Amino acid sequence: MESRKVAESVVETVHIVRPNHLNAAGRLFGGILMQWIDEVAALTAKRHTHKNVITVSVDNLRFLKGAYQKDVIVIIGKMTYVGRTSMEVEVDSFVEALDGERTHINHAYFTMVALDEKDRPTPVPGLLLETEEEKAKWERARKRKEARLADRQK
Ligand SMILES: CC(C)(COP(=O)(O)OP(=O)(O)OC[C@H]1O[C@@H](n2cnc3c(N)ncnc32)[C@H](O)[C@@H]1OP(=O)(O)O)[C@@H](O)C(=O)NCCC(=O)NCCS
């Protein structure tokens, strides 16, 4: 199966925080951001695999800073690792100011699984690592996968 570069599947989405996205404290509701980042992870994995995908786990989900009405939220999804039928997507979210400066507000790792026509896990294309950073991320993701699977055994 053809392998693909990390750059080929990068996804970037942009949202504006509207009144219906706020929680009672007047901040962006975490559940809304979780929906947006889950969509970005799925789009990234779909671009990489050209298949349907599902979310199997999310870890290291961190809300680093709040966001508020009218903020512009930029969400970026990048492939870090592929297994046989699963893959890891790193998703980072930022508030983008008018001058373009980005403040990191959320970080998460999604494990996605590709599915065939019968909704069974199916093999995914390899990931071509072009930079030292991509290689380092792959190695860290491989260790996270080992930890997840060890956790699953318990
Ligand atoms: C994802 C799902 C099909 C996996 O089924 P399964 O019987 O565990 O299948 P497998 O054991 O073959 O696992 C498939 C892959 O997922 C990985 N995986 C399974 N459970 C995992 C977990 N908890 N964390 C991380 N990876 C996991 C396996 O390591 C395997 O990866 P690999 O092929 O790259 O080695 C099944 O758990 C499922 O349908 N879950 C519900 C998903 C869903 O509805 N998501 C919400 C809506 S999108």
Side-chain angles (χ1 to χ4, degrees):
M1 197 188 309
E2 183 194 350
S3 293
R4 299 199 173 92
K5 299 174 186 173
V6 174
E8 288 180 84
S9 56
V10 171
V11 168
E12 179 170 323
T13 60
V14 182
H15 299 266
I16 295 177
V17 180
R18 301 187 190 285
N20 57 318
H21 299 141
L22 302 180
N23 64 19
R27 293 170 176 238
L28 172 61
F29 176 44
I32 296 279
L33 184 60
M34 284 158 72
Q35 178 184 332
W36 292 344
I37 64 179
D38 188 38
E39 285 165 358
V40 166
L43 288 167
T44 307
K46 274 188 184 184
R47 267 193 183 163
H48 179 74
T49 58
H50 297 189
K51 293 176 184 192
N52 283 326
V53 298
I54 45 166
T55 308
V56 63
S57 85
V58 185
D59 46 46
N60 295 62
L61 176 69
R62 288 192 209 133
F63 292 96
L64 306 168
K65 294 217 162 108
Y68 301 87
Q69 192 171 334
K70 297 185 192 163
D71 277 348
V72 172
I73 309 292
V74 177
I75 304 174
I76 299 171
K78 263 187 202 168
M79 296 287 303
T80 54
Y81 178 86
V82 297
R84 196 181 79 82
T85 64
S86 70
M87 64 217 110
E88 188 189 78
V89 182
E90 178 176 40
V91 182
D92 285 294
S93 307
F94 304 86
V95 169
E96 185 174 281
L98 283 177
D99 63 3
E101 191 182 329
R102 290 180 175 182
T103 304
H104 200 193
I105 62 161
N106 189 279
H107 179 264
Y109 296 112
F110 284 75
T111 300
M112 315 297 296
V113 171
L115 299 177
D116 66 14
E117 322 66 52
K118 294 191 171 147
D119 271 1
R120 292 174 308 208
T122 186
V124 300
L127 189 63
L128 296 171
L129 306 170
E130 297 187 294
T131 67
E132 289 308 311
E133 190 189 356
E134 287 170 5
K135 288 176 193 163
K137 285 190 178 200
W138 170 284
E139 197 44 40
R140 291 198 292 270
R142 192 184 61 73
K143 290 183 180 149
R144 280 190 295 275
K145 180 177 181 187
E146 278 176 13
R148 269 179 220 122
L149 294 185
D151 208 36
R152 193 187 173 199
Q153 309 293 338
K154 285 181 195 163

